[in-house]
Amino acid sequence: MSVEASNGAGRTIVEKIWDEHLVHREAGKPDVLYIDLHLVHEVTSPQAFEGLRLSGRRVRRPDLTFATADHNIPTTDRSLPISDPISKAQIDTLESNIGEFGIVYFGMHDPRQGIVHVIGPELGLTQPGMTIVCGDSHTSTHGAFGALAFGIGTSEVEHVLATQCLTQSRPKTMAVNFVGVAGEGVTAKDLILGVISEIGVGGGIGHVIEYRGEAITALSMEGRMTVCNMSIESGARAGLIAPDETTFEYLEGRPYAPSGSAWSEAVDFWRSLPSDKGSTYDEEVEIDAGSIAPFVTWGTTPGMSVQVTGSVPSPSEAADPSEASAMERSLAYMGLKAGTPIVDIPVDRVFIGSCTNGRIEDLRSAARVAAGHRLADSVKAMVVPGSSAVKAMAESEGLDKIFKDAGFEWREAGCSMCLGMNPDILEPGERAASTSNRNFEGRQGRGGRTHLVSPEMAAAASIAGHFVDIRDWEYK
Amino acid sequence: MKAIRRVEGTMAPMPQADIDTDQIIPKQFLKRIERSGFGPFAFYDWARTDDGQLSSDFVLNRPEYQGSQVLVTGPNFGCGSSREHAPWALQDRGFDAIIAPSFADIFRNNCGKIGLVCVTLGQDEVSELIDISTSTPSAQVTVDLEELTVTCGDFYATFEFDEFARECLLNGWDEIALTEHLDEEISGYEKRRRGYLPSAKAV
């Protein structure tokens, strides 16, 4: 059933948010939706601002637009100038655009700086029931709060800057229902890798996913953000989770969250958002949470994963010849042999960070694993907090010391090695355990081999020098 | 955006599934602040050897596929990063249309905004076109956006296309200008928005 067709009784949360933001509807055309929050960063915005200048347009709502620098900035000493002249030019361009158009900016030296999808929530900008966009596919992260949040391209960035609206065709809805609870050592990262493994990297195309069930409601906001973050890796337009007490507790008191009587007004509205009983979805998927073990990707899409207890699969197990050839290509790129037990795969590098797993809870979990241990001699590892605020909080808790004592590098906040736009990249042939979101060919550096895992699994691999089942880990 | 009614030319076959935008335009080129000039960097890591030379076995480097206008490829094309640099690179490389069994949503949206036509055909039809362009690289294909057809010799297929996106392409409309015409409705909506919603003015 489309969003329009089910207007009225029995609406899903997606339909409620859609209706709430409808500015214009016309038969045979996509709807025009109002955008509550537009997050901007240095990489996908310069051409949009240039487009505004060329057409003589202004930013309609600079007060609903917030910018930061995250994608290409160095994570080393911030007191030094950016050494890459092209990166510096991009940051300089953002800063000049921000000034010209009057937009709030959390720059490289601002304590509120960080990855767009980490700072929106921690500043309280991300709230239930909102529409949120950003020129970045991982905008789906904000869905953890029960917001409709999705990534857009630069032309759409320009459209939102100019009009605060977007022309959008109605999405289909998909419910992913987790049955039961996740076992010990199974994290939000493993739940979402399990979803992608189940529905495939194109399974979500055209849909907004709502994640439901006890395994989801039991998660912290950080865990929910990890799940929603990787919705795009299934092809979904967005992913979200209905707001509840956990959501409200996280938000209360944050800088941009409502306060006083506005707080109770907001909470009343937020409580009305969860999908109504009897609302229907275009598609429903059931996943047994108890059957999910820690996941490790072995290939070059986030759907190419196995549980840590398994082995690298063989192309002979493929469903059809095109899948077999994709598997062969991936195995060749990854330098892996079919049948190799996952725990026998050695790692050279470990990256803990990103908008998927760079929040405080992720760093705490990884630090618990690393505490009292030393990195394996062959491993280089780095921790890159998702925001400057996460970094400061981690330092106040002594997590930086735990990591440094274990031999990790402790860096400044940014996207870093998740996409390798800054100097943090893999060398050709290097194999990494990474808490990020994409294991595409060359994603973390040309010829680099990425295995996606949870922060706990990444930390354990850095100590052991190869993947281990975190459920067998001896904590010190 | 200039109006587009049909795309005619030769095809280039890339049958793989799930080609992501990191392959189409690798990250090191995203630092550029211009909108043009991305073509030479399209599929850079596949098109170049480790020492930066053009790789002769990469399909788009082969002489028979130089100047091709239509990319024929596998399902879920353009998945991953939302970077519009990917459609910019493909268009700058000379592609005016892409035919695939399915496209990633953000990628297809981005293509629509710049006049790069994404045509969805069935897997069997796509496979047939890939066979044709592999065996006869000079085969001429026509993607007709008015008639919603793809023809190539004896090959004939129809496709569906979002009506609004089609009108925008056929007329070369500026979508921002269309939304700007709704100024009164937008202002009306702004007056009834919930008062507590976050704003830079509030802090």
Side-chain angles (χ1 to χ4, degrees):
Chain A
M1 191 185 300
S2 77
V3 167
E4 184 180 48
S6 68
N7 259 351
R11 292 182 303 164
T12 65
I13 179 170
V14 177
E15 292 157 346
K16 292 178 189 185
I17 300 173
W18 195 274
D19 293 347
E20 168 91 7
H21 291 86
L22 191 63
V23 168
H24 180 82
R25 174 168 285 174
E26 205 174 320
K29 289 194 177 166
D31 288 340
V32 177
L33 293 188
Y34 200 80
I35 302 302
D36 290 321
L37 175 66
H38 186 189
L39 300 167
V40 170
H41 64 86
E42 74 273 25
V43 176
T44 56
S45 68
Q47 297 87 353
F49 284 113
E50 180 64 12
L52 292 184
R53 265 190 295 272
L54 290 173
S55 54
R57 292 177 170 125
R58 304 296 302 164
V59 175
R60 183 181 180 94
R61 293 298 299 266
D63 59 322
L64 306 185
T65 311
F66 293 82
T68 191
D70 57 2
H71 276 64
N72 86 32
I73 55 171
T75 56
T76 45
D77 190 349
R78 290 267 164 89
S79 63
L80 301 172
I82 300 176
S83 59
D84 176 351
I86 312 176
S87 288
K88 183 173 183 306
Q90 202 168 47
I91 299 296
D92 290 346
T93 302
L94 177 65
E95 293 182 352
S96 112
N97 286 329
I98 291 316
E100 179 181 345
F101 291 96
I103 291 165
V104 173
Y105 175 55
F106 308 128
M108 223 167 67
H109 303 286
D110 190 304
R112 297 165 295 182
Q113 175 270 343
I115 305 176
V116 267
H117 312 310
V118 177
I119 67 172
E122 73 189 9
L123 291 169
L125 286 167
T126 301
Q127 298 172 18
M130 289 173 65
T131 46
I132 301 174
V133 298
C134 173
D136 188 281
S137 61
H138 291 110
T139 308
S140 57
T141 311
H142 307 265
F145 291 79
L148 182 61
F150 49 94
I152 56 178
T154 297
S155 293
E156 289 184 317
V157 169
E158 186 179 339
H159 195 134
V160 177
L161 287 172
T163 66
Q164 203 58 33
C165 292
L166 258 189
T167 306
Q168 284 287 300
S169 59
R170 292 176 286 275
K172 292 180 180 162
T173 53
M174 179 190 292
V176 170
N177 300 310
F178 280 95
V179 179
V181 293
E184 195 69 26
V186 174
T187 67
K189 184 64 161 286
D190 304 306
L191 295 181
I192 187 61
L193 285 171
V195 171
I196 299 164
S197 158
E198 178 73 24
I199 70 174
V201 291
I205 289 179
H207 291 78
V208 174
I209 298 177
E210 181 184 348
Y211 302 96
R212 302 159 61 97
E214 200 180 336
I216 294 295
T217 53
L219 292 172
S220 65
M221 288 316 296
E222 282 84 353
R224 295 178 189 189
M225 285 189 255
T226 301
V227 169
C228 290
N229 172 275
M230 288 187 70
S231 301
I232 183 70
E233 263 51 77
S234 74
R237 286 171 68 174
L240 48 60
I241 293 167
D244 60 12
E245 298 307 316
T246 305
T247 321
F248 310 150
E249 201 175 297
Y250 177 98
L251 276 169
E252 193 165 13
R254 294 197 178 257
Y256 287 94
S259 56
S261 62
W263 172 258
S264 27
E265 184 199 333
V267 171
D268 282 347
F269 171 56
W270 297 344
R271 285 191 203 285
S272 74
L273 287 168
S275 297
D276 297 328
K277 280 204 174 66
S279 55
T280 55
Y281 300 81
D282 295 288
E283 211 167 322
E284 295 215 35
V285 176
E286 195 164 286
I287 292 180
D288 175 9
S291 72
I292 290 180
F295 268 97
V296 179
T297 62
W298 58 266
T300 53
T301 76
M304 292 174 165
S305 63
V306 284
Q307 304 200 344
V308 63
T309 48
S311 303
V312 175
S314 165
S316 64
E317 301 158 20
D320 56 64
S322 85
E323 188 189 337
S325 78
M327 288 175 75
E328 274 161 20
R329 186 187 168 102
S330 289
L331 290 177
Y333 180 85
M334 293 295 290
L336 290 174
K337 280 203 177 66
T340 307
I342 293 298
V343 293
D344 287 352
I345 300 174
V347 300
D348 307 306
R349 303 280 295 270
V350 170
F351 170 64
I352 296 175
S354 85
C355 59
T356 309
N357 280 128
R359 284 170 286 269
I360 188 67
E361 187 181 87
D362 300 312
L363 303 197
R364 286 178 189 141
S365 303
R368 266 197 300 276
V369 173
H373 291 281
R374 286 286 304 172
L375 293 183
D377 290 342
S378 56
V379 172
K380 282 195 288 184
M382 61 198 283
V383 181
V384 183
S387 71
S388 296
V390 166
K391 178 170 186 270
M393 191 186 295
E395 288 173 353
S396 76
E397 296 176 16
L399 304 185
D400 59 323
K401 189 165 183 316
I402 293 174
F403 285 122
K404 286 189 273 194
D405 286 350
F408 287 79
E409 288 182 52
W410 178 249
R411 295 293 190 90
E412 300 291 332
C415 298
S416 179
M417 202 197 277
C418 173
L419 84 165
M421 272 194 76
N422 73 351
D424 308 338
I425 56 170
L426 295 178
E427 296 300 319
E430 273 191 326
R431 187 180 299 284
S434 178
T435 68
S436 56
N437 40 59
R438 290 186 176 135
N439 50 344
F440 297 152
E441 286 182 29
R443 169 80 176 179
Q444 297 190 293
R446 184 183 170 106
R449 294 160 171 167
T450 301
H451 297 270
L452 303 177
V453 288
S454 70
E456 290 89 331
M457 287 282 289
S462 71
I463 306 296
H466 55 85
F467 290 108
V468 292
D469 188 337
I470 191 64
R471 295 170 298 183
D472 302 331
W473 190 251
E474 285 183 27
Y475 289 86
K476 286 194 180 172
Chain B
M1 188 170 76
K2 69 177 194 327
I4 299 173
R5 307 217 149 232
R6 64 185 62 79
V7 175
E8 288 168 302
T10 57
M11 298 176 281
M14 291 183 78
Q16 297 105 297
D18 307 317
I19 294 179
D20 58 81
T21 53
D22 271 85
Q23 308 314 318
I24 300 171
I25 184 79
K27 60 201 158 266
Q28 62 267 36
F29 306 109
L30 306 188
K31 297 175 192 173
R32 302 176 75 249
I33 56 173
E34 299 83 12
R35 201 171 184 131
S36 55
F38 287 92
F41 313 125
F43 297 104
Y44 191 87
D45 285 352
W46 290 354
R48 304 267 167 168
T49 58
D50 287 342
D51 55 4
Q53 300 303 306
L54 284 175
S55 167
S56 56
D57 55 359
F58 179 61
V59 61
L60 299 184
N61 291 345
R62 291 185 209 144
E64 61 270 34
Y65 296 114
Q66 299 306 306
S68 49
Q69 287 88 349
V70 180
L71 182 65
V72 189
T73 186
N76 197 26
F77 186 77
C79 60
S81 161
S82 61
R83 57 189 72 167
E84 197 166 305
H85 312 65
W88 296 339
L90 293 170
Q91 195 175 52
D92 199 53
R93 146 72 182 71
F95 289 119
D96 295 318
I98 308 169
I99 299 175
S102 61
F103 293 90
D105 289 318
I106 303 175
F107 177 83
R108 189 179 43 199
N109 268 344
N110 289 343
C111 288
K113 312 296 179 205
I114 65 164
L116 179 54
V117 182
C118 292
V119 175
T120 307
L121 293 183
Q123 178 66 62
D124 290 349
E125 293 165 326
V126 170
S127 299
E128 201 179 331
L129 286 175
I130 283 172
D131 289 346
I132 294 171
S133 68
T134 304
S135 59
T136 317
S138 61
Q140 292 283 313
V141 68
T142 302
V143 174
D144 192 321
L145 200 56
E146 278 184 298
E147 303 294 328
L148 295 173
T149 57
V150 177
T151 47
C152 179
D154 293 338
F155 178 94
Y156 172 87
T158 59
F159 61 93
E160 292 180 5
F161 208 88
D162 175 80
E163 186 50 35
F164 177 72
R166 178 167 164 261
E167 273 183 62
C168 286
L169 289 169
L170 288 174
N171 297 295
W173 281 339
D174 171 4
E175 253 188 63
I176 297 178
L178 295 181
T179 306
E180 281 177 331
H181 287 307
L182 304 173
D183 186 54
E184 255 178 60
E185 278 172 271
I186 300 171
S187 299
Y189 180 88
E190 286 175 327
K191 289 195 186 79
R192 60 176 194 270
R193 286 180 79 227
R194 294 173 193 273
Y196 65 78
L197 284 163
S199 146
K201 289 178 189 151
V203 172

